[in-house]
Structure formats: C-alpha cells, structure tokens
Amino acid sequence: MMSSNGRKVRIFDTTLRDGEQTPGVSVSPSQKIDIAMKLDELGVDAIEAGFPVVSPGEVEAIKKICKMGLKADICGLARTIRNDIDMAIDCDLRYIHTFIATSDIHLQYKLKMTREQVLDKAVFAVEYAKKHGLKVEFSAEDATRSDRQFLNRVFKAVAEAGADRIDIPDTVGYSTPKYISVLVNDVIENTRLPVSVHCHNDFGLAVANSIAGFEAGASCAHVTINGLGERAGNASLEEVVMALQCLYNYRHNIKTTILYDVSKFVSNTMGIIVQPNKAIIGENAFGHESGIHTHGVLNNPLTYEPISPELVGRKRWLQAGKHAGAHGIKSILDEFALRTTEEQLKQIVDKQKIIADSGQAITTSDLLSIASEVIKNKKFDGKFKLNEFHIVTGLHIIPTAVVKLNIHDKDFIASETGVGPVDAVLKAIQTIANDIASIKIREYKLDSITGGSDASAEVSVKVEDKEGNVISSRKSGKDIVVTSVQAVIDAINTSMLKNLLENENQVN
Ligand code: KIV
Ligand code: ZN
C-alpha cells in the first residue's frame, strides 16, 4: 500500500450537475431531491446540486435541496456572468462553482474572446460573488489544454480576487497523471489555496488522474456516482474512494457499505445501466466463474478478491458455466442446501457444461433444474403458481395489471399500474412476492432473439432475497409480457426453494 500518512480528503459529488449532463439523462426536481438525500447519507462533503440557469425545474430542485438541512455543502454552477451568479443567489446557494474556459481552442471557437477578456471575466465573477458573501470555487475549463503560463496567471488573479478554492478541470480527459501533478503543484505554489481536480474519462484515466491529483497535494476531487457525465463520464466516486482508501491509505467521510445501494439508486433513477465489469459496483465485480478462481476464493477470498465485497455493500456470488468446476458448482448447490453424491455432482457439472458450450449463460434456475433432473427431487416444483393475469393498456390509459398467484394453495391478488404493461405486471408480482417472501426484482433485461414484429424475446431477470442473495433466471417466448412474467416467477420460485431447503436442513 502507498502511504498518504492517513491524510483526509474531500469528496465533491457532481452527479446532479455533471452526471446529469450524461447524454439523454434528465431528472425531475423530486428525483434530484431523492438523489441528494442518498448522497448526503453516503457522506459526500459537497453536492453540486445543479446549474441554475438551465431550467426552472433546476431552480426549483436547487432551492429545495438548499432547504433540506443536509450535512454536505450545497454548491451550484455558474458561468462568470452576473446573471448566473444572481440566479445562484436567488436559489439560496451560499457556495458557487464558477467557471470560464482558458484554453486557446475554447477562446477562439467558443467564447470568441481574448485572454485578457477571459482574465477580466474570471476576476469579475469572483469579486462579485465574494461581495455577495458566497463561498467560491473557481474552475478554469479545459485547464489541461490551456497554455500553462496563462492558466497560472488566471489562477493567481482569481486567488487575489478572493476565491476560496481552485479547481483544475480536465474537461476532455486529455491529461496524464504526471501532467495533473504538475498543474496541482503550480496552483499550490501560485495560490496557496485548497485545490480540487475534476477529471473526465475520455481516455479511461479519470480515476488515475484524480488520484495523481491527491498525491500531488490536491485536497478534493469532483466525482460522480457510477462515473456518469458528459461523453465517457467523470471520475467514478466509488472507484476513487475505494482506491484512495485501500491502495493509498487516505481517509474520507464516505460510508462505503452503502456504495452499491446508492449506485443502484442512481442507475435506476437516471436510467443509465452500469457496465457489468465496472470496478466496485459492476454486477461482476465480485462474481466468479472459473474453476480455478472459485476454488481459490472458497479457500480464501483474498486469492482473487482485493477487498471484501461487504466493505462496499456487496455479496460474493459464483456463476455456473463452462469454466466452472466441481468446487464452484458444489458451493452453489450448497447455498440451496442441496446435497449430492460425487457422481451426481459430476453429472450436474457435465450437463451444465454442455448447455454452456452451446453459447448460453447458465442461470441459477437452469442449474437447479439440471440438479433436479439428476437428484430427482420433487421439491423443485414451483411454489408460486400463476393462475391468471389481466392487463389494460393503450393510448391515454395508464397501464394496469391484475395478477392472481397461488402459493401453497392460497390465492393472492395484486393490482398495480406502471409505465408500460410489463412494468405494471412485474410490479404486481413484486407486491405479492415482497409480502410473502421479501423478494425484490433487481434486474430485468429484454432482448429480441429474432427479427420482425413476431420476434421471439428473451427475458433475463435477477431477484434478490432479504439476505442479499441474487437468483437469476431466463425465459424466451413470443409474448414479451407472458415471457417476462414466467421469468420472474421462475426466479422467485428458485429463491423460495433456497429458503425452503435451508429451513428443512435446519429442522433435520
Ligand atoms: O469538465 C468541466 O470542465 C466542467 C466545468 C463546468 C468545470 O464540468
Ligand atoms: Zn466536467
């Protein structure tokens, strides 16, 4: 581990501003408020709540966030323009992040200003905001592609004008870790102010650049949940924080055990899926399939996991498939309290490899149905039985579903509305499942496997029980609503089977 002597760092979260600039993302004021609450619970030191000039909804959200009494400092973005700063003041913001570009390419093609004009505007904005009692963080947009001497002139001038903090934006992710260090050193030498770095991920270096910034003496990084942001995004909060803590021994205020929950919440609210192989919060970050790896992890997780999944609110999971070996498959079956003979285990491993060789991913329920065939256990019959469901949908109608399920010979009915028929029916099933077994639908994916309007659809789902165990299932069929219902019921049944077999084993 590199040593930072346990220095404490500041985390400035810009999910609600730069993160919302992710192409296609737009969140309502009430969604912004919900996210702000989560960020505060997570322990970020500052929340950039938005950019007041962009819309009336943005103003409404920022005003409300300012009134929430959160622990984090609430900040708003403003260009170096009087109207932007006035609007920030009208939102009740006490802290602004003001910016103007300093690179020649931005001056020539965007601002159409000379360097002197840029310098004057930067100083004006800082003086104006300070006169109104605001805390001011100044950013030189495109700092890393700016002439270094001019950049330092600007930073020096805004520091003399009263700026409280300086931020170095790597606006198009163009910097290397070495160059960020150079710029951080320059700012410290020229201004003696606290320095932040704001790194974009165009070359996949946003996290490395942020960390290089800290190593050079920056005290803060601008980051977003799930690395959301313009183009390839910003430095991801989860990755920066966990690398700082685990590899460099920095301290911070983040409650790491809720990182995964907050990531899921933001992903669902902003509608941007996290790539499965993303560090820390990607679905596969603590999943293992290969026989060699599962064997190692089962003996000692540190063999193939750098940190414990619980540290970031996750659970380790093992995947069946063509790379899986007997240890891994046995361990999955053990989770279901399924005992096999050595011969049965071998048959199960071989059978699932044959399916995997056809190019199919093996879901939990696939593995269990193979196991049921081999072990010949009647308990595998589904407990949730779908009796019927009805859906009303159409133009100007709120899609509504009524679902009737039978569980242990008892009927359960639920009715829900949704954004579409699938959403409505899955919500109705979820209502029943949640009441009976505290099972939640975590993931739903719909793929078309043939072309045309009569295409076959493949639905993959993951459900989670109250202990955080995730069960996957997949079904294909012509009717996407029916197929979705079948996939979810299959996953719920598999999850309930796990609990049933565990309970039985405890009794025996
Ligand atoms: O990336 C960037 O340059 C920004 C500015 C607004 C600071 O987000
Ligand atoms: Zn940015």
Side-chain angles (χ1 to χ4, degrees), residues 310-348:
E310 287 76 18
L311 187 58
V312 292
R314 309 281 314 257
K315 260 193 121 161
R316 171 178 317 115
W317 57 277
L318 304 181
Q319 169 73 46
K322 83 178 198 190
H323 307 102
H327 286 103
I329 298 294
K330 180 173 179 321
S331 167
I332 300 174
L333 297 178
D334 278 352
E335 277 188 36
F336 285 83
L338 281 175
R339 307 275 173 260
T340 59
T341 61
E342 256 182 46
E343 179 47 36
Q344 284 172 329
L345 180 62
K346 186 176 175 321
Q347 277 183 43
I348 296 167

mmCIF file of all heavy atoms in Angstrom, residues 310-348:
data_model
loop_
_atom_site.group_PDB
_atom_site.id
_atom_site.type_symbol
_atom_site.label_atom_id
_atom_site.label_comp_id
_atom_site.label_asym_id
_atom_site.label_seq_id
_atom_site.Cartn_x
_atom_site.Cartn_y
_atom_site.Cartn_z
ATOM 1 N N GLU A 310 -18.377 -7.107 1.205
ATOM 2 C CA GLU A 310 -19.217 -6.466 2.234
ATOM 3 C C GLU A 310 -18.784 -5.031 2.492
ATOM 4 O O GLU A 310 -19.588 -4.192 2.887
ATOM 5 C CB GLU A 310 -19.175 -7.268 3.545
ATOM 6 C CG GLU A 310 -19.955 -8.584 3.503
ATOM 7 C CD GLU A 310 -19.251 -9.691 2.729
ATOM 8 O OE1 GLU A 310 -18.010 -9.578 2.506
ATOM 9 O OE2 GLU A 310 -19.930 -10.669 2.318
ATOM 10 N N LEU A 311 -17.499 -4.751 2.260
ATOM 11 C CA LEU A 311 -16.978 -3.401 2.501
ATOM 12 C C LEU A 311 -17.703 -2.355 1.656
ATOM 13 O O LEU A 311 -17.791 -1.185 2.016
ATOM 14 C CB LEU A 311 -15.474 -3.399 2.167
ATOM 15 C CG LEU A 311 -14.647 -2.181 2.476
ATOM 16 C CD1 LEU A 311 -14.712 -1.831 3.953
ATOM 17 C CD2 LEU A 311 -13.200 -2.399 2.053
ATOM 18 N N VAL A 312 -18.230 -2.796 0.501
ATOM 19 C CA VAL A 312 -18.943 -1.843 -0.362
ATOM 20 C C VAL A 312 -20.414 -2.244 -0.522
ATOM 21 O O VAL A 312 -21.079 -1.878 -1.498
ATOM 22 C CB VAL A 312 -18.249 -1.722 -1.743
ATOM 23 C CG1 VAL A 312 -16.896 -1.049 -1.594
ATOM 24 C CG2 VAL A 312 -18.097 -3.072 -2.422
ATOM 25 N N GLY A 313 -20.890 -3.023 0.460
ATOM 26 C CA GLY A 313 -22.315 -3.386 0.464
ATOM 27 C C GLY A 313 -22.680 -4.449 -0.543
ATOM 28 O O GLY A 313 -23.817 -4.497 -1.016
ATOM 29 N N ARG A 314 -21.726 -5.318 -0.899
ATOM 30 C CA ARG A 314 -21.996 -6.342 -1.897
ATOM 31 C C ARG A 314 -21.926 -7.719 -1.270
ATOM 32 O O ARG A 314 -21.496 -7.883 -0.150
ATOM 33 C CB ARG A 314 -20.931 -6.297 -3.026
ATOM 34 C CG ARG A 314 -20.669 -4.985 -3.674
ATOM 35 C CD ARG A 314 -21.689 -4.603 -4.687
ATOM 36 N NE ARG A 314 -22.080 -5.632 -5.630
ATOM 37 C CZ ARG A 314 -21.675 -5.700 -6.895
ATOM 38 N NH1 ARG A 314 -20.807 -4.822 -7.354
ATOM 39 N NH2 ARG A 314 -22.138 -6.630 -7.718
ATOM 40 N N LYS A 315 -22.270 -8.728 -2.096
ATOM 41 C CA LYS A 315 -22.098 -10.132 -1.707
ATOM 42 C C LYS A 315 -21.367 -10.838 -2.819
ATOM 43 O O LYS A 315 -21.611 -10.550 -3.999
ATOM 44 C CB LYS A 315 -23.488 -10.772 -1.562
ATOM 45 C CG LYS A 315 -23.952 -10.870 -0.138
ATOM 46 C CD LYS A 315 -25.134 -11.772 -0.020
ATOM 47 C CE LYS A 315 -24.745 -12.879 0.930
ATOM 48 N NZ LYS A 315 -25.768 -13.611 1.516
ATOM 49 N N ARG A 316 -20.492 -11.731 -2.465
ATOM 50 C CA ARG A 316 -19.796 -12.546 -3.468
ATOM 51 C C ARG A 316 -20.803 -13.498 -4.099
ATOM 52 O O ARG A 316 -21.721 -13.969 -3.440
ATOM 53 C CB ARG A 316 -18.710 -13.340 -2.750
ATOM 54 C CG ARG A 316 -18.012 -14.393 -3.560
ATOM 55 C CD ARG A 316 -16.936 -15.054 -2.725
ATOM 56 N NE ARG A 316 -16.206 -14.061 -1.983
ATOM 57 C CZ ARG A 316 -16.207 -13.961 -0.655
ATOM 58 N NH1 ARG A 316 -16.872 -14.820 0.082
ATOM 59 N NH2 ARG A 316 -15.527 -13.017 -0.050
ATOM 60 N N TRP A 317 -20.654 -13.796 -5.388
ATOM 61 C CA TRP A 317 -21.526 -14.802 -5.989
ATOM 62 C C TRP A 317 -20.730 -15.638 -6.981
ATOM 63 O O TRP A 317 -19.726 -15.190 -7.534
ATOM 64 C CB TRP A 317 -22.758 -14.174 -6.636
ATOM 65 C CG TRP A 317 -22.462 -13.149 -7.689
ATOM 66 C CD1 TRP A 317 -22.176 -11.834 -7.473
ATOM 67 C CD2 TRP A 317 -22.383 -13.340 -9.103
ATOM 68 N NE1 TRP A 317 -21.937 -11.194 -8.658
ATOM 69 C CE2 TRP A 317 -22.064 -12.090 -9.680
ATOM 70 C CE3 TRP A 317 -22.571 -14.432 -9.940
ATOM 71 C CZ2 TRP A 317 -21.916 -11.914 -11.048
ATOM 72 C CZ3 TRP A 317 -22.424 -14.255 -11.311
ATOM 73 C CH2 TRP A 317 -22.100 -13.006 -11.840
ATOM 74 N N LEU A 318 -21.182 -16.857 -7.137
ATOM 75 C CA LEU A 318 -20.490 -17.779 -8.049
ATOM 76 C C LEU A 318 -21.408 -18.075 -9.222
ATOM 77 O O LEU A 318 -22.625 -18.151 -9.069
ATOM 78 C CB LEU A 318 -20.136 -19.079 -7.325
ATOM 79 C CG LEU A 318 -19.300 -18.920 -6.046
ATOM 80 C CD1 LEU A 318 -18.991 -20.293 -5.448
ATOM 81 C CD2 LEU A 318 -18.003 -18.164 -6.309
ATOM 82 N N GLN A 319 -20.809 -18.244 -10.380
ATOM 83 C CA GLN A 319 -21.581 -18.433 -11.611
ATOM 84 C C GLN A 319 -21.320 -19.835 -12.155
ATOM 85 O O GLN A 319 -20.169 -20.257 -12.249
ATOM 86 C CB GLN A 319 -21.122 -17.361 -12.612
ATOM 87 C CG GLN A 319 -21.594 -17.512 -14.029
ATOM 88 C CD GLN A 319 -23.087 -17.186 -14.176
ATOM 89 O OE1 GLN A 319 -23.559 -16.183 -13.663
ATOM 90 N NE2 GLN A 319 -23.811 -18.052 -14.851
ATOM 91 N N ALA A 320 -22.426 -20.510 -12.511
ATOM 92 C CA ALA A 320 -22.255 -21.780 -13.224
ATOM 93 C C ALA A 320 -21.856 -21.443 -14.663
ATOM 94 O O ALA A 320 -22.033 -20.319 -15.109
ATOM 95 C CB ALA A 320 -23.563 -22.545 -13.204
ATOM 96 N N GLY A 321 -21.318 -22.409 -15.387
ATOM 97 C CA GLY A 321 -20.942 -22.122 -16.782
ATOM 98 C C GLY A 321 -19.836 -23.039 -17.230
ATOM 99 O O GLY A 321 -19.415 -23.937 -16.485
ATOM 100 N N LYS A 322 -19.317 -22.792 -18.444
ATOM 101 C CA LYS A 322 -18.372 -23.774 -18.991
ATOM 102 C C LYS A 322 -17.014 -23.737 -18.300
ATOM 103 O O LYS A 322 -16.283 -24.712 -18.309
ATOM 104 C CB LYS A 322 -18.246 -23.627 -20.501
ATOM 105 C CG LYS A 322 -17.324 -22.589 -21.021
ATOM 106 C CD LYS A 322 -17.339 -22.686 -22.528
ATOM 107 C CE LYS A 322 -16.145 -22.004 -23.119
ATOM 108 N NZ LYS A 322 -16.264 -21.891 -24.569
ATOM 109 N N HIS A 323 -16.702 -22.589 -17.648
ATOM 110 C CA HIS A 323 -15.422 -22.534 -16.944
ATOM 111 C C HIS A 323 -15.524 -23.053 -15.513
ATOM 112 O O HIS A 323 -14.521 -23.174 -14.822
ATOM 113 C CB HIS A 323 -14.891 -21.095 -16.898
ATOM 114 C CG HIS A 323 -14.822 -20.467 -18.250
ATOM 115 N ND1 HIS A 323 -15.749 -19.573 -18.707
ATOM 116 C CD2 HIS A 323 -13.936 -20.649 -19.259
ATOM 117 C CE1 HIS A 323 -15.445 -19.213 -19.935
ATOM 118 N NE2 HIS A 323 -14.354 -19.855 -20.297
ATOM 119 N N ALA A 324 -16.756 -23.275 -15.068
ATOM 120 C CA ALA A 324 -16.950 -23.648 -13.652
ATOM 121 C C ALA A 324 -16.458 -25.073 -13.400
ATOM 122 O O ALA A 324 -16.518 -25.937 -14.286
ATOM 123 C CB ALA A 324 -18.417 -23.533 -13.285
ATOM 124 N N GLY A 325 -16.004 -25.314 -12.189
ATOM 125 C CA GLY A 325 -15.553 -26.657 -11.816
ATOM 126 C C GLY A 325 -16.440 -27.193 -10.701
ATOM 127 O O GLY A 325 -17.383 -26.515 -10.251
ATOM 128 N N ALA A 326 -16.096 -28.405 -10.242
ATOM 129 C CA ALA A 326 -16.929 -29.069 -9.231
ATOM 130 C C ALA A 326 -17.011 -28.239 -7.943
ATOM 131 O O ALA A 326 -18.081 -28.165 -7.323
ATOM 132 C CB ALA A 326 -16.356 -30.451 -8.944
ATOM 133 N N HIS A 327 -15.906 -27.571 -7.559
ATOM 134 C CA HIS A 327 -15.941 -26.795 -6.310
ATOM 135 C C HIS A 327 -16.988 -25.700 -6.361
ATOM 136 O O HIS A 327 -17.757 -25.501 -5.423
ATOM 137 C CB HIS A 327 -14.575 -26.148 -6.032
ATOM 138 C CG HIS A 327 -13.556 -27.124 -5.563
ATOM 139 N ND1 HIS A 327 -12.573 -27.611 -6.396
ATOM 140 C CD2 HIS A 327 -13.365 -27.693 -4.362
ATOM 141 C CE1 HIS A 327 -11.819 -28.455 -5.719
ATOM 142 N NE2 HIS A 327 -12.276 -28.530 -4.477
ATOM 143 N N GLY A 328 -16.987 -24.979 -7.488
ATOM 144 C CA GLY A 328 -17.916 -23.857 -7.639
ATOM 145 C C GLY A 328 -19.350 -24.341 -7.677
ATOM 146 O O GLY A 328 -20.221 -23.795 -6.992
ATOM 147 N N ILE A 329 -19.617 -25.356 -8.486
ATOM 148 C CA ILE A 329 -20.991 -25.855 -8.609
ATOM 149 C C ILE A 329 -21.463 -26.409 -7.266
ATOM 150 O O ILE A 329 -22.588 -26.146 -6.828
ATOM 151 C CB ILE A 329 -21.084 -26.957 -9.713
ATOM 152 C CG1 ILE A 329 -20.692 -26.369 -11.067
ATOM 153 C CG2 ILE A 329 -22.467 -27.590 -9.739
ATOM 154 C CD1 ILE A 329 -21.613 -25.307 -11.618
ATOM 155 N N LYS A 330 -20.584 -27.132 -6.576
ATOM 156 C CA LYS A 330 -20.965 -27.683 -5.264
ATOM 157 C C LYS A 330 -21.323 -26.538 -4.315
ATOM 158 O O LYS A 330 -22.307 -26.616 -3.576
ATOM 159 C CB LYS A 330 -19.821 -28.529 -4.696
ATOM 160 C CG LYS A 330 -20.166 -29.113 -3.333
ATOM 161 C CD LYS A 330 -19.103 -30.078 -2.847
ATOM 162 C CE LYS A 330 -19.405 -30.657 -1.481
ATOM 163 N NZ LYS A 330 -19.991 -29.759 -0.517
ATOM 164 N N SER A 331 -20.532 -25.476 -4.396
ATOM 165 C CA SER A 331 -20.777 -24.370 -3.487
ATOM 166 C C SER A 331 -22.129 -23.703 -3.786
ATOM 167 O O SER A 331 -22.859 -23.318 -2.875
ATOM 168 C CB SER A 331 -19.628 -23.379 -3.582
ATOM 169 O OG SER A 331 -19.972 -22.206 -2.961
ATOM 170 N N ILE A 332 -22.478 -23.591 -5.083
ATOM 171 C CA ILE A 332 -23.800 -23.004 -5.413
ATOM 172 C C ILE A 332 -24.900 -23.924 -4.889
ATOM 173 O O ILE A 332 -25.868 -23.475 -4.265
ATOM 174 C CB ILE A 332 -23.967 -22.796 -6.943
ATOM 175 C CG1 ILE A 332 -22.889 -21.845 -7.481
ATOM 176 C CG2 ILE A 332 -25.364 -22.260 -7.259
ATOM 177 C CD1 ILE A 332 -22.877 -21.690 -9.003
ATOM 178 N N LEU A 333 -24.731 -25.227 -5.106
ATOM 179 C CA LEU A 333 -25.765 -26.166 -4.639
ATOM 180 C C LEU A 333 -25.835 -26.156 -3.109
ATOM 181 O O LEU A 333 -26.920 -26.259 -2.526
ATOM 182 C CB LEU A 333 -25.480 -27.580 -5.166
ATOM 183 C CG LEU A 333 -25.518 -27.717 -6.695
ATOM 184 C CD1 LEU A 333 -25.167 -29.143 -7.115
ATOM 185 C CD2 LEU A 333 -26.886 -27.337 -7.259
ATOM 186 N N ASP A 334 -24.685 -25.991 -2.469
ATOM 187 C CA ASP A 334 -24.660 -25.905 -1.001
ATOM 188 C C ASP A 334 -25.513 -24.736 -0.511
ATOM 189 O O ASP A 334 -26.177 -24.821 0.508
ATOM 190 C CB ASP A 334 -23.227 -25.679 -0.483
ATOM 191 C CG ASP A 334 -22.454 -26.989 -0.403
ATOM 192 O OD1 ASP A 334 -23.083 -28.055 -0.598
ATOM 193 O OD2 ASP A 334 -21.222 -26.944 -0.184
ATOM 194 N N GLU A 335 -25.452 -23.623 -1.277
ATOM 195 C CA GLU A 335 -26.240 -22.456 -0.883
ATOM 196 C C GLU A 335 -27.717 -22.797 -0.862
ATOM 197 O O GLU A 335 -28.506 -22.169 -0.170
ATOM 198 C CB GLU A 335 -26.019 -21.304 -1.862
ATOM 199 C CG GLU A 335 -24.778 -20.512 -1.563
ATOM 200 C CD GLU A 335 -24.698 -19.275 -2.440
ATOM 201 O OE1 GLU A 335 -25.745 -18.674 -2.726
ATOM 202 O OE2 GLU A 335 -23.576 -18.958 -2.854
ATOM 203 N N PHE A 336 -28.104 -23.765 -1.694
ATOM 204 C CA PHE A 336 -29.501 -24.221 -1.720
ATOM 205 C C PHE A 336 -29.695 -25.427 -0.809
ATOM 206 O O PHE A 336 -30.717 -26.083 -0.874
ATOM 207 C CB PHE A 336 -29.912 -24.581 -3.154
ATOM 208 C CG PHE A 336 -30.144 -23.367 -3.997
ATOM 209 C CD1 PHE A 336 -29.093 -22.710 -4.597
ATOM 210 C CD2 PHE A 336 -31.424 -22.862 -4.151
ATOM 211 C CE1 PHE A 336 -29.299 -21.577 -5.351
ATOM 212 C CE2 PHE A 336 -31.638 -21.722 -4.903
ATOM 213 C CZ PHE A 336 -30.577 -21.073 -5.503
ATOM 214 N N ALA A 337 -28.699 -25.685 -0.005
ATOM 215 C CA ALA A 337 -28.719 -26.821 0.913
ATOM 216 C C ALA A 337 -28.998 -28.122 0.166
ATOM 217 O O ALA A 337 -29.689 -29.002 0.652
ATOM 218 C CB ALA A 337 -29.752 -26.584 2.011
ATOM 219 N N LEU A 338 -28.493 -28.210 -1.070
ATOM 220 C CA LEU A 338 -28.703 -29.426 -1.872
ATOM 221 C C LEU A 338 -27.512 -30.354 -1.736
ATOM 222 O O LEU A 338 -26.388 -29.982 -2.091
ATOM 223 C CB LEU A 338 -28.857 -29.053 -3.341
ATOM 224 C CG LEU A 338 -30.211 -28.526 -3.745
ATOM 225 C CD1 LEU A 338 -30.188 -28.080 -5.189
ATOM 226 C CD2 LEU A 338 -31.259 -29.613 -3.560
ATOM 227 N N ARG A 339 -27.742 -31.530 -1.218
ATOM 228 C CA ARG A 339 -26.649 -32.487 -1.060
ATOM 229 C C ARG A 339 -26.618 -33.411 -2.282
ATOM 230 O O ARG A 339 -27.669 -33.858 -2.733
ATOM 231 C CB ARG A 339 -26.863 -33.338 0.199
ATOM 232 C CG ARG A 339 -27.081 -32.524 1.446
ATOM 233 C CD ARG A 339 -25.759 -32.101 2.084
ATOM 234 N NE ARG A 339 -26.028 -31.179 3.177
ATOM 235 C CZ ARG A 339 -25.905 -29.857 3.082
ATOM 236 N NH1 ARG A 339 -25.528 -29.274 1.962
ATOM 237 N NH2 ARG A 339 -26.165 -29.078 4.127
ATOM 238 N N THR A 340 -25.433 -33.664 -2.795
ATOM 239 C CA THR A 340 -25.319 -34.594 -3.933
ATOM 240 C C THR A 340 -24.232 -35.618 -3.608
ATOM 241 O O THR A 340 -23.345 -35.336 -2.788
ATOM 242 C CB THR A 340 -24.872 -33.855 -5.211
ATOM 243 O OG1 THR A 340 -23.606 -33.253 -4.942
ATOM 244 C CG2 THR A 340 -25.859 -32.830 -5.667
ATOM 245 N N THR A 341 -24.306 -36.747 -4.293
ATOM 246 C CA THR A 341 -23.179 -37.670 -4.212
ATOM 247 C C THR A 341 -22.121 -37.140 -5.171
ATOM 248 O O THR A 341 -22.418 -36.274 -6.014
ATOM 249 C CB THR A 341 -23.588 -39.080 -4.678
ATOM 250 O OG1 THR A 341 -24.005 -38.966 -6.039
ATOM 251 C CG2 THR A 341 -24.702 -39.649 -3.818
ATOM 252 N N GLU A 342 -20.916 -37.685 -5.086
ATOM 253 C CA GLU A 342 -19.862 -37.237 -6.005
ATOM 254 C C GLU A 342 -20.246 -37.486 -7.456
ATOM 255 O O GLU A 342 -20.006 -36.667 -8.338
ATOM 256 C CB GLU A 342 -18.551 -37.942 -5.674
ATOM 257 C CG GLU A 342 -17.648 -36.984 -4.943
ATOM 258 C CD GLU A 342 -16.305 -37.566 -4.620
ATOM 259 O OE1 GLU A 342 -15.689 -38.189 -5.507
ATOM 260 O OE2 GLU A 342 -15.886 -37.393 -3.460
ATOM 261 N N GLU A 343 -20.900 -38.630 -7.677
ATOM 262 C CA GLU A 343 -21.295 -38.987 -9.029
ATOM 263 C C GLU A 343 -22.368 -38.011 -9.550
ATOM 264 O O GLU A 343 -22.316 -37.538 -10.692
ATOM 265 C CB GLU A 343 -21.810 -40.453 -9.024
ATOM 266 C CG GLU A 343 -22.295 -40.999 -10.355
ATOM 267 C CD GLU A 343 -21.347 -40.724 -11.532
ATOM 268 O OE1 GLU A 343 -20.117 -40.742 -11.343
ATOM 269 O OE2 GLU A 343 -21.853 -40.463 -12.651
ATOM 270 N N GLN A 344 -23.347 -37.679 -8.659
ATOM 271 C CA GLN A 344 -24.392 -36.726 -9.074
ATOM 272 C C GLN A 344 -23.773 -35.358 -9.396
ATOM 273 O O GLN A 344 -24.128 -34.722 -10.385
ATOM 274 C CB GLN A 344 -25.434 -36.563 -7.956
ATOM 275 C CG GLN A 344 -26.396 -37.732 -7.854
ATOM 276 C CD GLN A 344 -27.273 -37.627 -6.616
ATOM 277 O OE1 GLN A 344 -26.853 -37.078 -5.586
ATOM 278 N NE2 GLN A 344 -28.462 -38.178 -6.700
ATOM 279 N N LEU A 345 -22.830 -34.943 -8.553
ATOM 280 C CA LEU A 345 -22.196 -33.645 -8.773
ATOM 281 C C LEU A 345 -21.491 -33.627 -10.131
ATOM 282 O O LEU A 345 -21.608 -32.672 -10.900
ATOM 283 C CB LEU A 345 -21.201 -33.344 -7.638
ATOM 284 C CG LEU A 345 -20.469 -32.022 -7.758
ATOM 285 C CD1 LEU A 345 -21.433 -30.839 -7.721
ATOM 286 C CD2 LEU A 345 -19.432 -31.866 -6.637
ATOM 287 N N LYS A 346 -20.792 -34.702 -10.434
ATOM 288 C CA LYS A 346 -20.076 -34.781 -11.712
ATOM 289 C C LYS A 346 -21.063 -34.669 -12.885
ATOM 290 O O LYS A 346 -20.830 -33.947 -13.855
ATOM 291 C CB LYS A 346 -19.278 -36.094 -11.781
ATOM 292 C CG LYS A 346 -18.412 -36.175 -13.003
ATOM 293 C CD LYS A 346 -17.552 -37.420 -13.035
ATOM 294 C CE LYS A 346 -16.782 -37.541 -14.340
ATOM 295 N NZ LYS A 346 -17.486 -37.161 -15.550
ATOM 296 N N GLN A 347 -22.201 -35.376 -12.729
ATOM 297 C CA GLN A 347 -23.213 -35.327 -13.805
ATOM 298 C C GLN A 347 -23.754 -33.910 -13.983
ATOM 299 O O GLN A 347 -23.935 -33.427 -15.098
ATOM 300 C CB GLN A 347 -24.395 -36.233 -13.433
ATOM 301 C CG GLN A 347 -24.196 -37.680 -13.767
ATOM 302 C CD GLN A 347 -25.474 -38.459 -13.421
ATOM 303 O OE1 GLN A 347 -26.575 -38.020 -13.689
ATOM 304 N NE2 GLN A 347 -25.297 -39.606 -12.783
ATOM 305 N N ILE A 348 -23.988 -33.234 -12.859
ATOM 306 C CA ILE A 348 -24.523 -31.855 -12.935
ATOM 307 C C ILE A 348 -23.506 -30.933 -13.615
ATOM 308 O O ILE A 348 -23.842 -30.161 -14.503
ATOM 309 C CB ILE A 348 -24.894 -31.330 -11.513
ATOM 310 C CG1 ILE A 348 -26.019 -32.169 -10.934
ATOM 311 C CG2 ILE A 348 -25.294 -29.865 -11.547
ATOM 312 C CD1 ILE A 348 -26.278 -31.968 -9.448
#
